[in-house]
Amino acid sequence: MREGPLPGAGDWTHEHADAANTRVSRDKLVKAPMGVLWFGGTSHQGILPRHGHGPVPQAIDGRLVIEGADLLRAIDVYTGRQLWEARLPGLGQIYD
């Protein structure tokens, strides 16, 4: 069990990394070569398509928060496990 982010892990809280739109991660852990951390887990059922210019998922404290049609979901970035999902009617309607 892990509480919060790994030490040195960076956050990606806005579409272009941070409020200043730097497009730069402050992550101290990521180094090449990279590979798949997890595969499978929660389906993308109900999640808005990124190719339709939907909202960008946000990552903070080891959680990926992603918007769907009528829902908001949080996923553990280290395991792919769904942490929670909230039904919010009308959320994401503009992108669907």
Side-chain angles (χ1 to χ4, degrees), residues 32-49:
M34 292 183 251
V36 175
L37 184 59
W38 51 265
F39 184 80
T42 306
S43 79
H44 292 330
Q45 186 72 28
I47 297 302
L48 295 168

Side-chain angles (χ1 to χ4, degrees), residues 24-96:
V24 175
S25 172
R26 303 288 180 221
D27 199 306
K28 304 286 188 246
L29 300 176
V30 176
K31 296 186 177 21
M34 292 183 251
V36 175
L37 184 59
W38 51 265
F39 184 80
T42 306
S43 79
H44 292 330
Q45 186 72 28
I47 297 302
L48 295 168
R50 287 288 302 128
H51 298 292
H53 304 287
V56 177
Q58 306 296 305
I60 187 165
D61 292 340
R63 292 166 180 85
L64 178 73
V65 180
I66 188 165
E67 188 176 331
D70 302 321
L71 66 89
L72 193 63
R73 182 183 291 165
I75 300 170
D76 184 299
V77 299
Y78 305 109
T79 65
R81 184 175 62 99
Q82 182 173 312
L83 300 171
W84 55 262
E85 181 175 289
R87 293 281 167 191
L88 302 167
L91 184 68
Q93 186 174 18
I94 193 169
Y95 301 106
D96 194 13

